[in-house]
């Protein structure tokens, strides 16, 4: 299938938290300069608005339903599944309102993705991804979310009722094993991005369709947020794709808040490492550029979302199109 467009390289992003940002009070329908002037979020300069996505030429992304648990940093977060479900429902309604306003188009199947890519539609297509499965009440509730358009679920973020996650080690719980099995039965793909190792390998046994929408390589950055080489190979064995995350802390070892932003060569290093393991046709983007961090933490040269297409210029020219969009396009049209 030919996904080329006349206006620039095909751009598909494996991970944006659009509705979560709206929940923070960010008005994403404003031009970026106007959003920045009115941004209620302090200290994290916004880089994503709908006009930026269009300026970049973004055609499709995974857009999250992300419920934030209560922590010291998020006192308003959820404390039980009902609270998590409420957050996700509000975000679902936000995507539907945006679709009604012509800001995006929700896509549910590989056929819809293919048709969208072949169309002249300027608004980006969004495939719903649930990041952290706590909003799913139980396996009976999965059908509701599937009908609502959710096509991919990551069982963990931090720890959830279903799985050990980032900085929260542990296997799938009994409910998690049931959930992952039911996801496979319903044809909902699994996002391994935040799974702790123990949960990852449990899930790999239970589910044939794994991707990592936004995860860099643990060979270059320590910690269970990142994929080991064996994990990357397991995803490849299931014909999966891995999206590169644009957070300096996840690009450059020992990077800390306030340090000079990581160079784009560090992004290329993660891409090349994965490619050496599993091939360039499995390396893609999952920028997460609105995922709780701002320009201060983006790689140097990425000041706003429109800078994403040029951010892979350190890669050999013949590999850029695959990483920017064609690899996700192949996976989405085949498996959604
Ligand atoms: Zn995430």
């Amino acid at each position: 299938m030919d996904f080329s467009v006349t206006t620039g390289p095909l751009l598909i992003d494996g991970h944006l938290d659009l509705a979560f940002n709206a929940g923070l009070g960010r008005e994403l329908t404003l031009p970026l300069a106007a959003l920045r002037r009115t941004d209620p979020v302090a200290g994290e300069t916004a880089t994503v608005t709908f006009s930026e996505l269009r300026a970049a030429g973004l055609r499709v992304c995974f857009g999250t339903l992300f419920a934030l648990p209560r922590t010291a940093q998020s006192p308003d977060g959820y404390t039980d599944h009902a609270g998590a479900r409420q957050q996700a429902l509000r975000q679902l309604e936000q995507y539907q309102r945006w679709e009604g306003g012509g800001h995006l188009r929700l896509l549910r199947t590989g056929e819809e993705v293919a048709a969208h890519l072949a169309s002249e539609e300027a608004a980006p297509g969004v495939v719903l991804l649930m990041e952290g499965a706590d909003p799913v009440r139980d396996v009976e509730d999965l059908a509701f979310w599937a009908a609502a358009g959710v096509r991919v679920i990551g069982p963990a973020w931090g720890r959830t009722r279903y799985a050990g996650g980032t900085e929260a080690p542990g296997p799938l719980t009994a409910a998690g094993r049931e959930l992952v099995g039911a996801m496979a039965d319903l044809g909902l793909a699994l996002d391994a991005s935040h799974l702790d190792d123990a949960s990852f390998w449990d899930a790999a046994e239970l589910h044939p369709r794994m991707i990592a929408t936004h995860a860099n390589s643990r060979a270059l950055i320590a910690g269970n947020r990142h994929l080991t080489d064996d994990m990357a190979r397991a995803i490849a064995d299931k014909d999966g794709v891995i999206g590169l995350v644009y957070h300096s802390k996840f690009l450059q070892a020992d990077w800390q808040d306030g340090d000079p932003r990581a160079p784009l060569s560090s992004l290329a290093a993660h891409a090349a490492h994965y490619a050496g393991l599993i091939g360039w046709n499995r390396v893609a983007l999952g920028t997460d550029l609105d995922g709780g961090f701002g320009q201060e933490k983006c790689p140097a040269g990425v000041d706003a979302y429109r800078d994403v297409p040029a951010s892979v210029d350190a890669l050999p020219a013949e590999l850029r199109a695959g990483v920017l969009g064609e690899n996700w396009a192949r996976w989405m049209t085949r498996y959604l």
Side-chain angles (χ1 to χ4, degrees), residues 30-325:
L30 292 173
L32 184 59
L35 171 62
R36 286 177 175 175
R37 281 196 301 275
T38 60
D39 193 350
V41 180
E44 303 285 354
T45 303
T47 60
V48 174
T49 63
F50 286 112
S51 61
E52 284 296 313
L53 300 182
R54 290 193 191 207
L58 182 77
R59 300 303 315 286
V60 175
C61 67
F62 284 123
T64 62
L65 305 178
F66 168 65
L68 185 65
R70 179 172 294 176
T71 64
Q73 293 79 38
S74 54
D76 298 330
Y78 70 82
T79 56
D80 59 16
H81 85 265
R85 199 167 190 277
Q86 273 306 317
Q87 287 190 40
L89 285 170
R90 277 199 295 273
Q91 292 178 16
L92 174 63
E93 290 162 9
Q94 179 64 65
Y95 284 110
Q96 290 165 344
R97 275 198 299 279
W98 278 330
E99 184 175 47
H103 300 290
L104 57 80
R105 181 178 292 269
L106 292 170
L107 306 175
R108 294 159 182 268
T109 65
E111 291 76 21
E112 289 183 8
V113 171
H116 184 78
L117 292 176
S119 77
E120 302 283 306
E121 174 82 49
V126 174
V127 179
L128 294 178
L129 156 72
M130 185 179 283
E131 180 173 25
D134 272 341
V136 180
R137 188 171 45 225
D138 52 35
V139 286
E140 305 301 320
D141 193 31
L142 263 185
F144 166 83
W145 292 105
V150 173
R151 304 303 303 138
V152 184
I153 297 178
W157 181 60
R159 187 183 311 287
T160 64
R161 290 178 294 128
Y162 298 109
T166 298
E167 295 175 8
L172 293 183
T173 63
R177 298 183 69 86
E178 200 184 1
L179 181 87
V180 171
M183 283 169 54
D185 291 344
L186 281 172
L188 298 171
L190 189 138
D191 182 0
S193 298
H194 280 273
L195 288 178
D196 176 56
D197 299 45
S199 283
F200 179 98
W201 293 111
D202 285 349
E205 270 183 26
L206 294 166
H207 203 301
R209 193 62 57 224
M210 286 172 82
I211 53 176
T213 62
H214 62 314
N216 291 348
S217 171
R218 205 184 300 179
L220 304 178
I221 306 280
N224 83 338
R225 174 65 182 85
H226 318 293
L227 298 175
T228 66
D229 290 357
D230 283 343
M231 288 172 164
R233 288 192 196 98
I235 290 169
D237 286 345
K238 295 170 188 288
D239 204 14
V241 169
I242 300 174
L244 301 165
V245 194
Y246 279 42
H247 190 317
S248 287
K249 191 171 67 172
F250 296 168
L251 289 168
Q252 181 178 301
D254 302 320
W255 191 91
Q256 295 182 6
D257 289 2
D259 285 353
R261 294 151 64 189
L264 283 170
S265 58
S266 62
L267 185 75
H270 283 269
H273 183 78
Y274 278 145
L277 296 171
I278 59 176
W280 280 103
N281 64 339
R282 304 194 182 282
V283 182
L285 303 187
T287 69
D288 204 15
L289 276 173
D290 57 0
F293 63 96
Q295 186 195 61
E296 296 78 2
K297 296 166 186 166
C298 294
V302 178
D303 296 324
Y305 197 88
R306 70 180 62 210
D307 300 324
V308 168
S311 67
V312 300
D313 283 358
L315 301 182
E318 70 276 14
L319 300 172
R320 293 174 201 156
V323 174
L324 282 175

Side-chain angles (χ1 to χ4, degrees), residues 8-27:
L10 171 62
L11 181 62
I12 299 182
D13 195 328
H15 201 96
L16 288 171
D17 294 310
L18 300 169
F20 176 74
N21 279 265
L24 297 175
R26 282 179 162 165
E27 183 45 78

